[in-house]
Amino acid sequence: MYEDIVNFCVDYASKKVDFVEARLEINRSEGFVLKNGVPEVSAFSNSRGIGLRIIDNKTLGFVAINEFNKDRIKKLIDKGISLTKSVSKIKQEINFSDEKVNVDNYEVKQKKSFFDIHPEEKINSLLEVDKSIDHVNNRYFSLSVNENEKYLINSEGTKIKSVIPRVSIYYLLTLLANKKSMQRYWQHGACGGWESFEKWNLRETVRKEVDEIKQVMEKGKKITPGKMDLIVDPEVTGIMTHESVGHPYEADRILGRESAQAGESFVNPDMLNTQIGSEVVNVSDDPTVPNNFGFYLYDDEGVKARRRRLIKDGKINEFLHNRQTAFELGTKSNGSARACVYNVENLVRMSNTFVDKGDHSKEELIEGVKKGILMKNFVEWNIDDVRLNQKYTACVAYLIENGKIKGLVFEPTIEITTPKLWSSVDAVGNNNEYHAATCGKGEPMQGIPVFHGGPSIRIRNVNIR
Amino acid sequence: MMDLEKIKNKLLEKGMDDVVVHSSCQEAIQIKFVNNKVAKTGSELTESVSVFVAKDQKVAVTSLNDVSDDAINKAIDKIAKFVQCLQKKESYVGIAKGPFKYKEIEGGYDFNIKKVIDNAGDVVEEGINLALENGAKRCGGIFEVYDSNSRMVTSNDVSEEDKATRFYFSIRSLINKDASGHKYSCSRSFKDLDYKESSVRSAEIAKMAVNPSKAVYGKYDVLFDPLPFADILQHVGSSCSIFSVEAGFSFLKDKLNKQVASEEFTLFDDGTMPKGYGSVKSDEEGVPARKNILFDKGVFKTYLYNTSSAKRHGVKTTANAGLVSPNPWNVVLKKGDYSFDEMIKKIKKGVYVTNQWYTRFQNYSNGDFSTIPRDGIFLIEKGEIKNPIKGIRLNDNIPRMLKNVSAVGNKQKQIVSWEVSEVPVVTPSVLVKDVNITSPD
């Protein structure tokens, strides 16, 4: 029934404008919140709607519809077209790169459907995790499961159907002892069913994290600030990669389209092939890796997704593109257009961003450090709006002396520029780990599921405090 | 139009103890501009309904935006079964008992909204031209108009309807990548939207920011424009929620009636504020919105509660439901005595910050955080604004900064922005002593 409505939207609008694209999204989700062992609220929701992009005389318009009455749809589309026409004298001319017309249908199957798991069982799963750390002063857990069904068509003939399930959990833990407090907040997420949640083995994972933080609070010493080496484990590699490689390589930022929102980029279009890191640095973004939280096979313009090699041998190799930015920079889209819900336009987004594996064992990375810090994970970070000046503060970290791990250190921090960071990497590990996050961009704000990670990496001679 | 009473009654027939039904219908338009041109128009009509139920102290919520009878009936059947499967929230003690009388929000609805929508493109064009005429080389931003109607009924004799219009304008002017200024304007009626001033001022800041010198670090007095200080205050406001305190998201645990901020700092939450962007007739369980004093001359006076959390803590609701988490409506910092120039003159060694972003907490429970000034940032020496600077970060602690508030301006501005999105904030410029500034090596 809904497909008929989507087809109707495209047929109706096609008669009036030059290009139409309709994206139907149906979302079924459940959420559960536990605070200090108390189930605060449980929720489910169903939403569906159509996001329609139109191009009229090279002006871009967007119409969001969640009322599926054909007469009302006609009125909304007419209103959208009229608004688009009203700004034509100050329009930015919109052109899209020519892309292959795709027709496909794919679904990520849940091995264990989260909708078949009784709500009580889901809450019990949270309660079990909570119980394993009930000595922690404050405990907050938020679990959500979501199945996103999409039907994307455009007036060029593209027709993509997809079903993608996702499960995620966010938690915040507060530990107090000896007038000190520390917090751990983190998110786990995957594309898949309840089997992903079970695989995280959260009881054990969270209990270990709490034990480590207690150790840091008890034994961790503040370091003497200064220049030293830094090894970061995958959790930190991932956030560094996301913030200082993924974001500045988003072509819409580079072209100024996010200027008044999430900012621009220190990268210019003519910086392709510029050396930005050492030769051992290779960074990719790949939405097609199974189970990653940002998984998809076709983007929200119907372009087939593929791996993007953002940095190759330390050189800027490729930006993230949708069809508009690809046209503006004279290239092809690499399938990076994503919208987080039906009623917002697609933007250029990351999916699954990581440093490619190297060939050093973790032990080798550590052995090569005379004096330095091993940052296992982090608690706070931020970066400026052109993605140059960034900061990461460790949650659990260790001192390294003469190639050996010595003791715990308390919340060491690195504040560094992007070129300095990536040009100081001298070795890349052969380990690998990925983490989920929700990335924000656009206005209205679009939080979109992403993955990031990679191996441990060694960064030479940087200021740490 | 959905019959909310019918939904409520069906749920009561299914044995629910407490029921709250909300509906919302919103029309919105948006014009996004980039590099002096309109990059996208947007228009939207959204209808939705949400339902809260409690049964034997088990609590569930659902929302849907397919508001057909069939979809609603299915949701009613589902939530009645869903809630039975849950576990008790022993601390849940019910929702507010009505009926209540409500006051209209003064200046909360602009009956000229259709005309504004028809001329929305002209507003954007005028904003762009003003920025360019005042020195910007390029500018980007957004103009949004919202027309919404929300209704609510509860099983405790509440029936309420609220119509609202909202206008939002953001403009960032740039001379080059290092020199920019960003201003916002928001209002409940179009005549109060000072988009022209925002356009001019964003360009003026961009011009002032040309040729920034290198970053500084160390302790500096920081003069915050309303925009960046609103970012701090939205976190202070949300930290007042008792839910945030219990979950670990707040630095205000055990701080009731203690001197948390300087005597210059008096903060309200005011859900009734005339023309307030976040003003509402009632909270989410139907209690008429009110004004609560959060900090009186620096002393922390109250957490924010709904009926259930208030009973648990032996106090009365502050009319801030959120049925799950109480929240502020409009966070308002009382204005002080200082003009902008007087505050600048007080500063021997300082920094003037016009915008900031990416505020993140190292520890919500003690308030350790950092944030990054963006757009125009200026050094202040011996009572005068000197050269622009770039590349700094404020690394400090919220309660320490609140204690170091040394002057509050005499001109308030209502702020909603890309960064200040949790709760609208009304604040003057604020001077904070000895803020810790860092920069990368």
Side-chain angles (χ1 to χ4, degrees), chain A residues 2 30 32-33 35-36 38-49 60-67 72 76 79-80 83-84 86-87 89-92 94 118-120 123-124 127 138-140 170 172 174 176 181-183 185 227 243 253 255-268 342-343 345 347 379-387 389-391 393 411 415-417 420 440-445 462-463 465, chain B residues 25 27-32 34-48 52 59-67 75 78-79 82 85-91 117-118 120-122 124-125 128 138 140-142 144 146 168 170-172 174 177 182 184 242-243 245-249 253 312 324 357-366 368-375 391-393 395 417-418 438-441:
Chain A
Y2 289 153
E30 288 181 2
F32 304 87
V33 172
K35 187 181 73 187
N36 302 325
V38 176
E40 281 292 326
V41 69
S42 303
F44 66 90
S45 76
N46 293 304
S47 77
R48 90 279 185 274
L60 179 65
F62 183 82
V63 182
I65 299 161
N66 85 335
E67 161 67 78
R72 293 192 79 179
L76 277 169
K79 193 178 156 190
L83 180 64
T84 305
S86 75
V87 299
K89 67 176 173 172
I90 49 167
K91 72 184 175 206
Q92 178 190 24
I94 304 295
H118 202 271
E120 191 175 15
I123 297 174
N124 280 338
L127 284 166
N138 294 102
R139 304 161 328 266
Y140 173 85
Y170 170 90
L172 169 70
T174 308
L176 305 170
S181 71
M182 276 187 80
Q183 291 193 314
Y185 48 95
K227 287 213 166 186
E243 298 293 5
R253 278 174 177 275
L255 293 165
R257 199 175 189 273
E258 277 290 304
S259 180
Q261 288 82 33
E264 300 193 348
S265 173
F266 73 94
V267 174
N268 294 317
Y342 80 90
N343 63 348
E345 64 165 343
L347 301 170
V379 68
E380 183 209 342
W381 84 106
N382 50 26
I383 187 164
D384 70 17
D385 60 307
V386 292
R387 306 280 159 181
N389 165 5
Q390 63 218 278
K391 173 196 176 188
T393 296
E411 296 182 343
E415 208 170 340
I416 193 166
T417 63
K420 173 78 177 165
K441 188 176 174 183
E443 193 167 20
M445 173 59 79
V462 288
N463 271 325
R465 62 169 192 268
Chain B
C25 180
E27 280 191 77
I29 65 142
Q30 182 193 66
I31 300 178
K32 177 171 179 169
V34 173
N35 296 332
N36 312 332
K37 302 283 185 192
V38 170
K40 189 209 81 176
T41 66
S43 53
E44 180 180 5
L45 173 65
T46 313
E47 287 187 86
S48 61
F52 169 94
V59 174
V61 173
T62 188
S63 64
L64 65 160
N65 69 359
D66 177 353
V67 295
K78 186 172 172 182
I79 198 167
F82 186 81
C85 319
L86 305 176
Q87 308 207 354
K88 272 188 182 181
K89 179 183 172 184
E90 303 281 357
S91 56
I117 289 172
D118 288 345
D122 296 341
V124 170
E125 189 174 6
I128 292 169
R138 60 187 176 97
I142 217 154
E144 293 176 343
Y146 297 95
Y168 171 81
S170 151
I171 183 162
R172 184 170 187 231
L174 295 98
K177 276 198 176 185
H182 202 158
Y184 292 86
I242 194 66
F243 187 95
V245 174
E246 291 170 343
F249 287 101
K253 190 175 183 180
R312 184 153 43 89
V324 178
W357 93 318
Y358 231 128
T359 302
R360 287 291 183 278
F361 282 82
Q362 185 168 327
N363 190 326
Y364 292 95
S365 67
N366 68 15
D368 284 345
F369 82 111
S370 71
T371 187
I372 306 180
R374 67 185 270 188
D375 303 303
I392 64 167
R393 175 177 279 102
N395 265 292
S417 73
W418 194 79
T438 59
S439 59
D441 56 346

Side-chain angles (χ1 to χ4, degrees), chain A residues 158-182:
Chain A
T158 285
K159 193 176 283 190
I160 306 290
K161 286 184 191 172
S162 63
V163 179
I164 297 183
R166 288 190 175 91
V167 54
S168 74
I169 184 166
Y170 170 90
Y171 53 88
L172 169 70
L173 309 173
T174 308
L175 286 86
L176 305 170
N178 304 323
K179 293 185 179 172
K180 263 187 188 174
S181 71
M182 276 187 80

